[in-house]
Amino acid sequence: MPGNPNEIKLVNNAMSNATRRKIMNFLSAGDKSTGEIGGEVGKTMLDFHLKLLQQASLIEIEEGTVKLSEYGKNFLEDKEDKSVNKITDISQAKPIEITEVRQLLPCIADSSKFRVIANMAPSLGETLKVLEPLFPRGRYSDKISALIMQKGEIITTVYGTGKVTMTMIKNEDEAKEALENLRSTINEAIAKGVAPAPREKVRVEPMELYLPQTNCGKCGEQSCYTFAIKLMSSEASLDKCTSLKEPKYATNQEHLQVLTAYI
Ligand code: SF4
């Protein structure tokens, strides 16, 4: 059963693709032949998709028959439980206001930019988790009880307590605009009273996993990780990573082409 970080990355990668998720759901009804799966999800790159699911220990293939592994079954059950438990009613939440912009300090990484610390009230607590789909590059962290969002270079973190931090802000006007956008996006959802539909996520991790991870900077980014983030937000194209053209990375490139096709 996957447990170490690399194995978890393989699972994340396998499940980051709509066709592969469809295959998993199709298999939850019982074992299928590869022909039946091809009929359900299409035959394009079917071998590739099955191989990734197999590598992630989610399925087993035997003499043309494909079935969910024990881990695959548990994975789907766990996912179902989590979605059932999701809070969907946000009708009790109150509209928020930005009550205070406390500090504008130079960024550590780039002193020409600022980091901002602000406050919003009332605090949203766990409701923040439900609001995650409102923000295309948003991710809720249970560990710090905060919603972390990325837009261009700006990374905004909204904590359940009401504290808001922003990094890589150009000036006060940009800070005000970003905070106002945040306020109005959240308040529009609260006014509707229902949680936004959970969105399918393509994770950054698989992208990063298949990049050469040399951090050579030829793509114009400081690291493969930041390039992966740009790929995710469609701000960079794969061909900017010239290292990927080396023959030894041919398979990585193929995987990345599939992943980027689903952004
Ligand atoms: S060019 Fe490719 S290998 Fe080099 S830092 Fe950028 S993504 Fe990484």
Side-chain angles (χ1 to χ4, degrees):
M1 181 180 288
N4 74 41
N6 278 341
E7 288 168 340
I8 291 166
K9 279 184 179 180
L10 285 175
V11 174
N12 285 342
N13 179 28
M15 294 305 289
S16 68
N17 173 281
T19 303
R20 293 196 284 275
R21 287 193 295 274
K22 207 168 165 188
I23 293 173
M24 289 292 287
N25 289 332
F26 188 48
L27 288 173
S28 65
D31 303 356
K32 304 284 177 203
S33 69
T34 48
E36 286 173 313
I37 298 172
E40 177 72 13
V41 305
K43 294 193 173 73
T44 313
M45 301 188 74
L46 183 59
D47 287 347
F48 172 78
H49 291 310
L50 290 176
K51 198 171 151 201
L52 288 197
L53 289 170
Q54 192 180 24
Q55 279 173 350
S57 304
L58 289 162
I59 61 166
E60 289 164 5
I61 306 174
E62 221 171 282
E63 295 173 359
T65 301
V66 186
K67 61 176 185 178
L68 289 178
S69 66
E70 276 310 303
Y71 175 69
K73 284 180 200 162
N74 291 338
F75 180 88
L76 287 186
E77 277 167 20
D78 188 43
K79 216 172 144 223
E80 238 167 57
D81 287 349
K82 278 183 184 150
S83 60
V84 166
N85 290 337
K86 245 188 173 129
I87 315 158
T88 51
D89 180 9
I90 57 169
S91 57
Q92 301 307 311
K94 303 240 172 354
I96 55 133
E97 288 303 328
I98 304 298
T99 52
E100 193 185 11
V101 180
R102 280 190 274 147
Q103 275 171 317
L104 218 57
L105 299 165
C107 276
I108 298 159
D110 178 351
S111 58
S112 68
K113 303 273 174 66
F114 296 94
R115 63 201 147 103
V116 175
I117 302 173
N119 240 30
M120 67 183 196
S123 58
L124 287 168
E126 283 252 307
T127 304
L128 268 178
K129 191 171 185 169
V130 181
L131 299 178
E132 185 196 64
L134 292 176
F135 303 94
R137 303 265 88 77
R139 182 173 60 83
Y140 185 82
S141 163
D142 286 304
K143 208 167 157 190
I144 59 169
S145 304
L147 183 57
I148 304 154
M149 299 160 261
Q150 187 187 10
K151 192 172 179 195
E153 275 191 328
I154 302 172
I155 294 177
T156 305
T157 308
V158 182
Y159 294 84
T161 56
K163 181 181 167 186
V164 182
T165 64
M166 287 177 165
T167 58
M168 302 298 273
I169 292 282
K170 279 191 222 124
N171 50 43
E172 206 173 332
D173 285 346
E174 189 177 53
K176 280 185 187 153
E177 194 186 324
L179 286 166
E180 174 51 28
N181 286 341
L182 177 67
R183 188 191 72 83
S184 61
T185 306
I186 291 176
N187 283 349
E188 269 172 36
I190 289 175
K192 284 184 194 153
V194 276
R199 77 182 128 78
E200 297 284 9
K201 283 188 235 174
V202 178
R203 293 171 184 267
V204 173
E205 293 95 324
M207 298 270 190
E208 191 197 3
L209 181 70
Y210 290 120
L211 287 169
Q213 306 203 19
T214 58
N215 301 326
C216 67
K218 288 181 200 158
C219 56
E221 301 303 325
Q222 283 178 346
S223 67
C224 296
Y225 180 72
T226 47
F227 184 67
I229 290 174
K230 292 260 168 108
L231 278 178
M232 285 291 307
S233 54
S234 304
E235 290 170 54
S237 59
L238 207 50
D239 59 0
K240 287 274 185 305
C241 174
T242 49
S243 300
L244 267 181
K245 296 191 171 70
E246 292 173 31
K248 63 180 175 185
Y249 295 123
T251 313
N252 296 40
Q253 189 170 25
E254 191 186 323
H255 285 208
L256 282 162
Q257 271 162 354
V258 174
L259 287 172
T260 49
Y262 284 91
I263 291 174

